[in-house]
Amino acid sequence: MYPNNAGGNDQKSPPPPMMQMQMPMAPYPPAGAVPEQWTTGLCGCFEDSSNCFITCCCPCITFGQNAEIIDRGATSCGANGLIYYLLAQVGVVCLYTCSYRAKLRGLHSLQEDPCADCLVHWCCIHCALCQEYRELKNRGFDPSIGWVANAQKMNLGAATMPPMTQGMGR
């Protein structure tokens, strides 16, 4: 229950607005910008052997973690993982996952390499998910800890600085 407002009537004051954590992300590249190279190759799965193992056994986990970071926390790892699992049962999961590869490329101005996003996910979904996971890690994110923890980690420097005061006179 919220405390009564200062006027003394029985109306309840609204709860304070929730603070939203915003993390600086690379803006969409300007039109005509030269696309960057991926930081790792499509077949570099063993560069992160633990993620490679998880992706081979349960790719819905890696996809859910990647999607949560790419969507900046707007969707949860669990929800995306469930959607992945259900679409995989009918054989069309690449139609959903390739859209996240395109979003990741758009956020970081990456080349559509080695071929179209949907084709990469159709032919090599496990390799594509591992590459996207490594790309996020190489750009300072840790998909395994989720969006909120990444946002807190990125904002840590600003949160530890003491507030600036004005007009401190004697």
Side-chain angles (χ1 to χ4, degrees):
M1 180 185 268
Y2 301 112
N4 291 341
N5 61 10
N9 57 21
D10 290 336
Q11 293 181 353
K12 296 178 183 175
S13 60
M18 291 182 57
M19 291 181 56
Q20 291 184 348
M21 300 174 117
Q22 295 196 3
M23 186 165 30
M25 294 284 285
Y28 284 101
V34 177
E36 294 180 30
Q37 293 284 333
W38 289 80
T39 58
T40 63
L42 181 63
C43 297
C45 298
F46 293 108
E47 292 177 26
D48 185 341
S49 57
S50 63
N51 176 254
C52 180
F53 178 75
I54 290 169
T55 305
C56 285
C57 294
C58 195
C60 57
I61 292 174
T62 301
F63 174 71
Q65 291 173 341
N66 290 349
E68 182 177 355
I69 300 300
I70 293 168
D71 278 344
R72 301 178 186 184
T75 59
S76 72
C77 173
N80 279 306
L82 179 62
I83 292 168
Y84 179 101
Y85 176 77
L86 294 173
L87 290 174
Q89 301 308 304
V90 293
V92 294
V93 73
C94 68
L95 298 176
Y96 181 60
T97 59
C98 71
S99 67
Y100 281 90
R101 185 175 181 88
K103 286 181 189 180
L104 177 63
R105 284 189 320 94
L107 287 170
H108 299 289
S109 185
L110 296 167
Q111 293 181 0
E112 192 170 25
D113 186 47
C115 52
D117 297 330
C118 203
L119 190 57
V120 170
H121 275 254
W122 176 261
C123 296
C124 311
I125 193 162
H126 294 91
C127 294
L129 293 173
C130 287
Q131 182 187 34
E132 293 156 16
Y133 185 93
R134 290 189 313 275
E135 189 68 32
L136 289 169
K137 284 192 84 163
N138 291 342
R139 293 187 179 269
F141 300 100
D142 183 356
S144 67
I145 63 173
W147 171 255
V148 172
N150 274 285
Q152 289 171 344
K153 182 176 78 170
M154 295 295 192
N155 290 329
L156 184 62
T160 58
M161 291 183 59
M164 298 292 291
T165 58
Q166 293 181 356
M168 289 184 62
R170 294 182 184 208

